[in-house]
Amino acid sequence: MNNFTSLLIFETKKFFKPFLIFSTIWMLMIFLFMSFFDSIKQNAQQIIDLYASFPKELLQAVGKDSTSITNIYGYVGSAIMLYLFLSGCILVIFVVSNSLSQEISNHNILFLLSKPISRLKIYTAKFFAIFINIVLSDLLLFLSLVVSIKILTKETEVDYHIFILIFLALFILQFFFMSVAELIGAKLNSGKTTAIVSFLIILSYLFNLISGMSENAGFLKYISPNFYVGLEKISETRELKFENIAIIVLAIGLIIVGGYLFKNKDIE
């Protein structure tokens, strides 16, 4: 087994625990959310009356309306994915910060640099370790959603392809913000990296939200990754936007730049 493979396995195991804890908590949350769905569907008229009192622009901005919240796709897309997006992306940022920038700050990275392995391979191994954990976590959450629908709801004809698209959109956002954290983490310490990228995550969501509520603020959506991915709208459109490819390409570009910064960073 070569040095790169050994480091990849070590880093993957290193961050398996926080992702497992996160996944376990969210699996329970998904089961909890889905246990309410049949009751919400049975009380659809009360939901419609309640939503009628809210501004239409606000409901459109957050991807909610009286019809979407009472069908299984809209319920998952609006009641679950927002919280999962925010918490999942922030977890990824925390892990990235502890994987790269914190080790640079406390000079623990010097141990790896003393080994016969290049900086680029160290950076790549850390990236793929987090990438693997994200994929495994999202798969567990998707499977828990499928199981919870089958055993906790009365839905019999469900198009799980739509849920696959929703989780793919979530993954694209996680991948993008992970790439931003990798880039910033190659230059700044862990505390600043976590704070800056967490702020960007919340700002991206708010920009997308505000742009949907006001025509005057419509320009804000163009600087929000959430708008291009369209996580809130997939339950209605039932397709991923073509712009997702651009987001992925941009994320890969940021990772490459981050690798270049780490390769040339003076850690001493």
Side-chain angles (χ1 to χ4, degrees), residues 113-133:
L113 295 178
S114 68
K115 301 296 181 181
I117 181 171
S118 69
R119 286 195 179 194
L120 185 58
K121 287 184 177 181
I122 292 173
Y123 180 87
T124 305
K126 288 180 174 293
F127 162 74
F128 276 110
I130 299 171
F131 179 87
I132 291 169
N133 275 297

Side-chain angles (χ1 to χ4, degrees), residues 61-81:
V62 297
K64 293 184 179 183
D65 58 47
S66 57
T67 55
S68 68
I69 198 68
T70 55
N71 73 67
I72 192 69
Y73 311 112
Y75 182 73
V76 171
S78 60
I80 297 177
M81 298 310 294

Side-chain angles (χ1 to χ4, degrees), residues 41-172:
K41 189 173 183 179
Q42 290 171 4
N43 295 279
Q45 188 57 51
Q46 288 90 326
I47 299 294
I48 292 173
D49 294 339
L50 175 63
Y51 274 48
S53 64
F54 289 98
K56 183 179 179 181
E57 294 79 8
L58 174 61
L59 296 177
Q60 290 178 341
V62 297
K64 293 184 179 183
D65 58 47
S66 57
T67 55
S68 68
I69 198 68
T70 55
N71 73 67
I72 192 69
Y73 311 112
Y75 182 73
V76 171
S78 60
I80 297 177
M81 298 310 294
L82 166 60
Y83 309 108
L84 186 53
F85 154 68
L86 291 173
S87 59
C89 286
I90 290 175
L91 170 69
V92 169
I93 302 317
F94 172 78
V95 171
V96 170
S97 299
N98 280 274
S99 175
L100 186 63
S101 55
Q102 186 178 53
E103 291 190 8
I104 294 175
S105 298
N106 60 25
H107 291 166
N108 285 346
I109 197 74
L110 293 176
F111 173 76
L112 287 177
L113 295 178
S114 68
K115 301 296 181 181
I117 181 171
S118 69
R119 286 195 179 194
L120 185 58
K121 287 184 177 181
I122 292 173
Y123 180 87
T124 305
K126 288 180 174 293
F127 162 74
F128 276 110
I130 299 171
F131 179 87
I132 291 169
N133 275 297
I134 293 175
V135 172
L136 291 175
S137 176
D138 287 349
L139 282 174
L140 282 175
L141 295 178
F142 173 75
L143 291 174
S144 68
L145 176 64
V146 172
V147 172
S148 66
I149 291 173
K150 288 183 176 295
I151 67 176
L152 294 177
T153 73
K154 297 178 181 178
E155 300 295 303
T156 55
E157 297 182 2
V158 179
D159 185 0
Y160 290 102
H161 174 258
I162 298 174
F163 296 129
I164 292 175
L165 293 179
I166 290 174
F167 271 90
L168 279 175
L170 172 66
F171 171 76
I172 290 170

Side-chain angles (χ1 to χ4, degrees), residues 61-63 77-78 82 205 208 226-227 230-236:
V62 297
S78 60
L82 166 60
Y205 171 73
N208 190 45
N226 292 60
F227 167 72
L231 177 62
E232 301 88 352
K233 304 295 183 181
I234 291 178
S235 59
E236 297 176 11

